[in-house]
Amino acid sequence: MEVRTVCGTEVPPLGMGCWAIGGPFWAGDTPLGWGEVDDGTSIAALRRAAELGVVLFDTADLYGAGRSERVIAEALGTYRDDILIATKWGNVFDENTRQLTAGDAGPGYVRRAVEASLRRLGTDRIDLYQMHLGDAATEEAAALVEVLEDLVAEGKIRFYGWSTDDADRPAAMAGPHFEAVQHELNVLDDAPRMLALVEERGWASINRGPLAMGLLSAKYSGGSRVGSEDVRGDQAPEWMKYFKDGQPGGEWLGRRDAIRDVLMSDGRTLAQGALAWIWARSPRTVPIPGFRTVAQVEENAGALAFGPLSADQVKEIDVILGREG
């Protein structure tokens, strides 16, 4: 596998997304987490990922209202000099009630948020600090560059980026240490404009949703249901597109099943094939699949042994999904 360069470091083209291990949190009655988790299981999974050579671990202060960051600190403290920690800011939340209360893209909030994340992570620096408000105005983003560069100079962060799916936004925040755009990308939902942008600018493409919220795994079928405390459940937020009323969306399942054989070629699992498509899509991509267990970490990391899909396989998928040309 070709390595990727993130934060000036050559890394395997696979990170771990640490949203699910934060456990439940909400915006009012709307669940934003993935249900209850066991911290001991999460710690074992994080350590197994590090043992398998995973370097990039991506989280956010919001995930579990700080819990994900704390679990990472406990699990990976002894690995700190061998890994990259990416986290995010911009969402205001109450750690006690685990409620999202507001968004704040102001320069003043950045300093408060970074100090809180450093404490929870038990570290003296954040390798990649990303704004979590994907729809923030470009004027707001541009006003953040000065304080972010100050934080770099102070050694509190090393690089920064933006988690957004709008290819027209990242350039507004592109100061000297702007490093990456985190955006949705999976075989069912391509992002050609964003990939063109990161390739042109030499940025890393950190890919959330690489398994389409779990849909691109063998776990889910038309009769599957998820719990009510799950972000994919029957009280899911409006932006949840892959699951409706607690069940996988039929149209998305149909598209997945149409390309299943191609993704599972050469002995891959369905999830491994989905990761292989992302690696074939661009040399800048670093997918960050979520996980709860050691087994999921091992399956995701096992995709590295197969490498990317071939150009012919990518073309075949495009034809099946009607994306040719």
Side-chain angles (χ1 to χ4, degrees):
M1 283 294 299
E2 292 182 3
V3 298
R4 307 297 201 242
T5 300
V6 181
C7 301
T9 302
E10 290 190 344
V11 303
L14 178 74
M16 289 291 152
C18 302
W19 179 5
I21 65 171
F25 63 107
W26 299 267
D29 294 329
T30 301
L32 298 178
W34 295 64
E36 290 292 344
V37 290
D38 176 76
D39 289 348
T41 300
S42 300
I43 288 167
L46 285 163
R47 290 176 177 167
R48 182 58 176 149
E51 290 169 0
L52 291 170
V54 174
V55 172
L56 179 66
F57 293 84
D58 179 88
T59 187
D61 57 4
L62 179 64
Y63 297 162
R67 183 177 175 185
S68 177
E69 291 184 329
R70 291 193 177 93
V71 170
I72 288 171
E74 184 173 351
L76 299 177
T78 58
Y79 294 90
R80 182 63 188 96
D81 292 336
D82 301 317
I83 64 171
L84 299 177
I85 294 178
T87 192
K88 308 179 196 74
W89 91 94
N91 289 293
V92 183
F93 56 92
D94 185 313
E95 291 196 38
N96 295 318
T97 62
R98 291 182 286 174
Q99 282 282 342
L100 169 65
T101 58
D104 192 334
Y109 185 66
V110 178
R111 284 198 169 274
R112 297 195 297 276
V114 76
E115 294 293 351
S117 283
L118 287 169
R119 287 193 298 271
R120 286 188 292 262
L121 288 163
T123 187
D124 62 350
R125 81 278 185 192
I126 293 166
D127 297 292
L128 179 60
Y129 201 41
Q130 304 156 103
M131 183 162 70
H132 208 175
L133 303 176
D135 59 354
T138 54
E139 295 83 0
E140 292 178 301
L144 293 168
V145 173
E146 182 177 358
V147 67
L148 290 166
E149 288 294 330
D150 286 345
L151 290 170
V152 172
E154 294 164 19
K156 294 181 178 180
I157 68 174
R158 296 180 56 227
F159 297 90
Y160 54 90
W162 194 348
S163 179
T164 180
D165 293 322
D166 184 348
D168 292 328
R169 281 184 156 86
M173 196 189 281
H177 289 86
F178 189 93
E179 170 70 5
V181 181
Q182 183 169 141
H183 62 97
E184 185 171 30
L185 179 69
N186 62 63
V187 66
L188 301 177
D189 195 10
D190 199 359
R193 288 190 64 228
M194 189 67 83
L195 291 174
L197 175 68
V198 297
E199 289 175 9
E200 176 189 348
R201 301 295 290 263
W203 296 330
S205 166
I206 310 297
N207 312 127
R208 52 181 156 75
L211 302 182
M213 307 294 281
L215 195 73
L216 287 164
S217 73
K219 182 176 180 179
Y220 294 102
S221 63
S224 300
R225 294 200 70 90
V226 296
S228 60
E229 284 197 343
D230 194 302
V231 68
R232 302 165 297 176
D234 54 13
Q235 296 190 67
E238 291 183 4
W239 48 259
M240 175 55 62
K241 60 187 178 185
Y242 299 113
F243 288 73
K244 293 296 180 185
D245 300 320
Q247 294 184 286
E251 178 183 354
W252 294 106
L253 276 179
R255 292 167 68 82
R256 180 199 71 181
D257 291 344
I259 59 174
R260 178 190 289 268
D261 289 346
V262 185
L263 293 178
M264 296 183 69
S265 59
D266 307 316
R268 296 179 176 91
T269 66
L270 183 59
Q272 289 170 343
L275 296 173
W277 178 86
I278 289 176
W279 292 327
R281 184 65 182 82
S282 168
R284 294 282 172 181
T285 52
V286 185
I288 49 169
F291 64 92
R292 291 173 182 260
T293 66
V294 168
Q296 289 171 328
V297 165
E298 290 177 340
E299 179 180 7
N300 292 336
L304 292 165
F306 293 98
L309 295 183
S310 69
D312 286 343
Q313 289 169 324
V314 171
K315 183 176 180 180
E316 183 178 358
I317 287 171
D318 284 341
V319 171
I320 293 171
L321 296 180
R323 297 195 301 226
E324 68 277 20

